[in-house]
Amino acid sequence: MKDYVSGGYYVLKEIPRPSDLSEIVPEKLVTVSNCFTTVLTDIIQLEWDAYENVTEAIAEEAKEFGIPASQIPELVSWAKKQHNSNYKVYADVIPALELLDRFITHRGTHVVGIGLHRSRLESFASQIGKDINKGSGLLELVNEGRSPADGGNPLGFEPLGFRATTFHSWLCHYAPDEVYKRFGIRPNEHGLIDKFEDARQANDYLLETGAEPAIWEPWLLLDYTPAIRRSN
């Protein structure tokens, strides 16, 4: 993974194929896009936030990920002891995996890391102005230049547009159909693109056809979820 720069580690839920996407997309898929899936954030932010100010948000997110209400006091104590460098996403994989192991019972939850090929760093930097927050939340991780952690299972590439601390996806534009028709590039069993060059081509197509202003790049998704959980 030395050819890639880490963009953080996301605790998220795999999803069924949205009804408005064609069957070229598999029945279940993995995406980092907040437009389609639930990405854990409130529990990460609890390291800095006063619990009494976010009680409802924590309860809702805990329920979403199958964390029993009886465990919330323990969860709060654990979250307050973390030393994460980012307010929105885990900068290291270890706390994300510990959260999954100790608290989360929802079986469709994954810990997914994203990596940007180093050949795309200039492209990434050139698009910072497209984001109202100038890449805040992701730029810091990219600038650290750390490679993704070892042990991740490569799932494929997802063209993602980072804007206002969240991700849009090629799925937002029904791009899998168009990309297949124009270039013969078909989504794999995770709804992603197998080859970097194909993902770059799909990403360029989005930029050429009017994707919303965002930092659009083809990100490699790596699944760190323990195999025993993926098989259940």
Side-chain angles (χ1 to χ4, degrees), residues 30-206:
V30 177
T31 174
V32 182
S33 174
N34 309 74
C35 302
F36 293 93
T37 193
T38 303
V39 182
L40 183 142
T41 56
D42 294 308
I43 291 170
I44 298 172
Q45 295 167 13
L46 191 53
E47 179 182 340
W48 297 274
D49 295 343
Y51 175 58
E52 58 268 23
N53 295 335
V54 294
T55 303
E56 186 175 332
I58 294 300
E60 290 177 358
E61 191 164 80
K63 183 178 180 180
E64 184 75 28
F65 285 91
I67 301 173
S70 61
Q71 273 197 292
I72 288 181
E74 182 185 355
L75 172 68
V76 173
S77 177
W78 176 86
K80 290 294 185 184
K81 295 175 183 176
Q82 300 309 303
H83 300 284
N84 194 38
S85 62
N86 192 289
Y87 186 66
K88 285 288 187 179
V89 59
Y90 287 114
D92 296 290
V93 72
I94 292 174
L97 289 172
E98 186 176 350
L99 176 67
L100 180 68
D101 180 59
R102 285 185 59 177
F103 299 102
I104 292 175
T105 65
H106 184 274
R107 307 311 296 181
T109 301
H110 293 253
V111 172
V112 174
I114 63 172
L116 182 65
H117 197 277
R118 294 183 186 273
S119 67
R120 302 293 301 184
L121 291 177
E122 185 175 343
S123 170
F124 181 91
S126 72
Q127 298 183 75
I128 293 299
K130 294 180 180 180
D131 175 30
I132 189 172
N133 295 324
K134 308 299 183 186
S136 178
L138 182 61
L139 177 63
E140 298 88 342
L141 294 167
V142 171
N143 283 346
E144 285 182 16
R146 292 193 292 168
S147 297
D150 293 336
N153 175 40
L155 301 180
F157 295 86
E158 182 175 18
L160 292 167
F162 187 74
R163 181 184 182 187
T165 73
T166 62
F167 286 103
H168 294 285
S169 169
W170 71 319
L171 301 174
C172 300
H173 299 272
Y174 313 104
D177 270 331
E178 285 299 313
V179 168
Y180 179 63
K181 291 174 184 176
R182 291 176 177 270
F183 310 114
I185 300 169
R186 189 182 187 95
N188 65 18
E189 67 270 28
H190 306 292
L192 304 171
I193 300 173
D194 279 325
K195 297 179 180 179
F196 169 66
E197 284 302 321
D198 288 345
R200 182 195 57 76
Q201 189 171 27
N203 192 79
D204 289 348
Y205 175 75
L206 287 168

